[in-house]
Amino acid sequence: MIYTVTLNPALDKTVQIPSFRLGEVNRISAMRTDPGGKGINVSKVLRELGEPSVAAAILGGAAGQKIESALRALGIEGMYLFTGHETRTNLKIVDPTLHTNTDVNEPGAPADEAVLSKLLTQLTGRLRPGDLVVLSGKAPAGAPDTLYRDWILACRAAGAAVYLDAEGELLRQGVTAGPALIKPNQAELSGVMGRPLTTEDETIRAAQELLDAEPERLEDRVILLWGRDWHPGVIG
């Protein structure tokens, strides 16, 4: 089974505003809401591909209830931990005339150590050898930089492989715990390597260096996503 983990989910509210103008009254021509967060998005894509998954998430308030209901309607199994903190709502402004997309994101809800530990215990209690866990997105406010590292170690101990999609210290620390795959973009890999990577060749060499330096930590491969005009690449 594939388990996706979203510790900082969002209810994404997308509005369409033709010829959006700053500092003026704008009229919405269309609107929709969707359950969001990187891990939840992975579960939604898996559903479209006909692959079942379990979406683990920390939810709260009316927005959290809407996310739960929407995922249930999609037929996606959930493993949710509800708290007293309202799940954030993010606003996406799409201008079909100017062909622009503007994101206005709320700060994520906090989650203390007890909440995070409880969800991890629920997750590892269900894991079996051969399962896959996808850890992706930002951590809740106040969570330690070692959060994903600790979760990777716990999931691996339960027999699951872990795919990691994170940035900054969460990624840097997470790599040391042995994820089966990471998916950094150019800026994120620059942060892990501690130096700027400005070209495709530099980025590919850095990914290979990371694999060579961490043969037991990065079990399979690094998937790179780089510059707007470049294409994805797989190293390892």
Side-chain angles (χ1 to χ4, degrees), residues 20-32:
F20 176 70
R21 299 176 300 280
L22 290 175
E24 299 185 24
V25 175
N26 293 273
R27 306 295 181 185
I28 296 173
S29 62
M31 182 177 68
R32 61 178 291 172

Side-chain angles (χ1 to χ4, degrees), residues 62-144:
Q65 294 287 350
K66 289 180 180 179
I67 290 174
E68 180 190 30
S69 297
L71 292 177
R72 187 189 309 117
L74 290 172
I76 295 173
E77 182 182 352
M79 183 190 300
Y80 308 124
L81 192 59
F82 279 87
T83 73
H85 299 284
E86 181 78 21
T87 298
R88 61 183 175 151
T89 297
N90 292 337
L91 179 64
K92 318 292 184 182
I93 304 172
V94 178
D95 186 335
T97 303
L98 299 178
H99 305 290
T100 59
N101 293 273
T102 303
D103 289 356
V104 183
N105 292 344
E106 293 182 5
D112 60 28
E113 182 179 350
V115 169
L116 294 168
S117 178
K118 184 175 181 179
L119 184 61
L120 177 59
T121 298
Q122 290 180 1
L123 173 64
T124 55
R126 289 188 55 172
L127 293 178
R128 298 293 181 267
D131 286 343
L132 172 63
V133 176
V134 180
L135 297 176
S136 54
K138 295 184 180 297

